[in-house]
């Protein structure tokens, strides 16, 4: 009986990731003040772990924070999460992140992601839903003691911090974002 349950675990994981991705995209409607609080807390935690991020925040025209992105994969993977887009430090709207990947990958994890916008042009591209990160875009993973010096690419700098889980991955894919202004 335990063997049957273990065999079904990968399928359950895959379906939960796909469901999470689709629901993250569909739940952007309606302003959620709790999400702003979660985003601010997530960014504070990321800065606490890597203080150099404060300089990116200080220099940025704006930023998007995704406090909880859930990712899972068995060969084919997906991720999804909701976040808040800020101009300066003012929340301007909500965003959803969806990701699809294919390759050698197995597992599940949750992570935080922040995208800093160097200038108004980068911010406008993001809020006009003109940003899709492909396999060439790379986020800098925040770990204790590691350098996070990164050059702006197309006016953006991306950072992630793992919250939990375990993921083995050698895959390609991309992230897509949607934006809904605060009403």
């Amino acid at each position: 009986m335990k063997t049957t349950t273990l065999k079904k675990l990968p399928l359950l994981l895959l379906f939960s990731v796909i469901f999470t991705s689709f629901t993250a995209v569909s739940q952007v409607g309606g302003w959620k003040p709790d999400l702003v609080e979660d985003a601010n807390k997530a960014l504070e935690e990321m800065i606490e772990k890597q203080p150099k991020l404060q300089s990116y925040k200080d220099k940025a025209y704006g930023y998007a924070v995704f406090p909880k992105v859930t990712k899972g994969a068995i060969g084919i993977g997906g991720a999804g999460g909701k976040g808040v887009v800020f101009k300066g430090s003012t929340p301007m709207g909500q965003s959803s992140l969806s990701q699809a990947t294919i390759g050698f990958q197995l597992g599940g994890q949750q992570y935080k992601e922040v995208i800093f916008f160097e200038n108004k042009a980068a911010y406008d591209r993001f809020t006009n839903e003109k940003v899709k990160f492909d396999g060439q875009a790379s986020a800098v993973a925040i770990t204790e003691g590691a350098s996070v010096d990164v050059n702006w690419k197309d006016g953006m700098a991306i950072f992630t911090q793992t919250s939990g889980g375990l993921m083995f991955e050698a895959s390609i894919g991309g992230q897509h974002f949607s934006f809904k202004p605060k009403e």
Side-chain angles (χ1 to χ4, degrees), residues 26-182:
S26 66
Q27 293 177 357
V28 173
W31 185 248
K32 296 174 181 63
D34 291 349
L35 187 56
V36 175
E37 187 178 315
D38 292 345
N40 284 324
K41 183 179 176 190
L43 185 55
E44 286 173 19
E45 289 171 0
M46 292 173 81
I47 290 171
E48 183 178 308
K49 187 154 192 165
Q50 185 49 257
K52 177 82 174 179
L53 288 183
Q54 186 65 51
S55 67
Y56 285 91
K57 182 182 176 193
D58 293 344
K59 292 176 186 174
Y61 179 83
Y63 50 92
V65 181
F66 298 88
K68 185 167 92 174
V69 179
T70 302
K71 179 178 182 177
I74 304 168
I76 297 172
K82 295 179 282 184
V84 179
V85 178
F86 297 83
K87 184 175 4 174
S89 59
T90 304
M92 302 304 290
Q94 294 180 173
S95 181
S96 66
L97 172 159
S98 57
Q99 177 179 339
T101 54
I102 188 165
F104 177 74
Q105 52 189 338
L106 176 65
Q109 70 178 172
Q110 288 188 327
Y111 62 93
K112 301 172 184 77
E113 182 170 329
V114 61
I115 305 167
F116 293 108
F117 309 115
E118 184 178 27
N119 50 42
K120 183 179 184 324
Y123 172 86
D124 288 345
R125 263 195 334 273
F126 188 90
T127 56
N128 289 319
E129 299 185 26
K130 303 280 188 215
V131 174
K132 292 179 184 177
F133 295 133
D134 59 19
Q136 304 301 316
S138 59
V140 174
I142 298 171
T143 56
E144 299 268 1
S147 173
V148 293
D149 292 322
V150 70
N151 292 324
W152 298 91
K153 183 174 177 171
D154 296 326
M156 296 179 209
I158 313 162
F159 299 91
T160 63
Q161 180 182 354
T162 301
S163 302
L166 184 61
M167 188 81 174
F168 300 100
E169 182 174 23
S171 64
I172 59 170
Q175 289 184 334
H176 174 74
F177 302 90
S178 65
F179 175 74
K180 181 170 180 162
K182 183 177 176 181

